[in-house]
Amino acid sequence: MSVAATIEHKLNEAFSPSRLVVIDESHLHAGHAGARPEGESHFRVEITADKFKGMSRVASQRAVYEILSEELATDIHALALTVRS
């Protein structure tokens, strides 16, 4: 499974979002530190889910980071988040 597909799967399972967009921006960082030659290292995620209601911006981002902790430790070099309830 690709890193992008793994991100989508895990976030769908954890948050049942009404909107989820996962954008691989690795091509914009080719040759930069942390960029892997095979790509799939830099992502932008936009997620909207009821589970974020009442959570601060920091808390909702931490919840996403927790779900993706394994990938952040291995495959993902950069993750830009937009989280909405």
Side-chain angles (χ1 to χ4, degrees):
M1 185 180 302
S2 71
V3 177
T6 299
I7 292 169
E8 281 190 44
H9 175 75
K10 285 189 163 188
L11 294 180
N12 275 317
E13 287 283 315
F15 301 109
S16 301
S18 57
R19 181 172 186 272
L20 176 61
V21 179
V22 178
I23 304 165
D24 183 352
E25 295 184 336
S26 301
H27 65 284
L28 300 173
H29 303 276
H32 297 175
R36 296 189 338 234
E38 65 274 14
E40 288 207 298
S41 59
H42 293 69
F43 292 91
R44 177 170 303 280
V45 171
E46 300 171 10
I47 184 170
T48 304
D50 287 341
K51 288 188 178 182
F52 298 123
K53 283 186 179 171
M55 295 174 77
S56 70
R57 181 177 54 86
V58 172
S60 60
Q61 288 179 346
R62 283 184 180 155
V64 171
Y65 292 144
E66 183 178 330
I67 296 301
L68 299 177
S69 62
E70 183 178 330
E71 291 72 25
L72 286 163
T74 57
D75 298 322
I76 300 172
H77 177 71
L79 180 64
L81 290 176
T82 301
V83 180
R84 296 183 178 98
S85 58

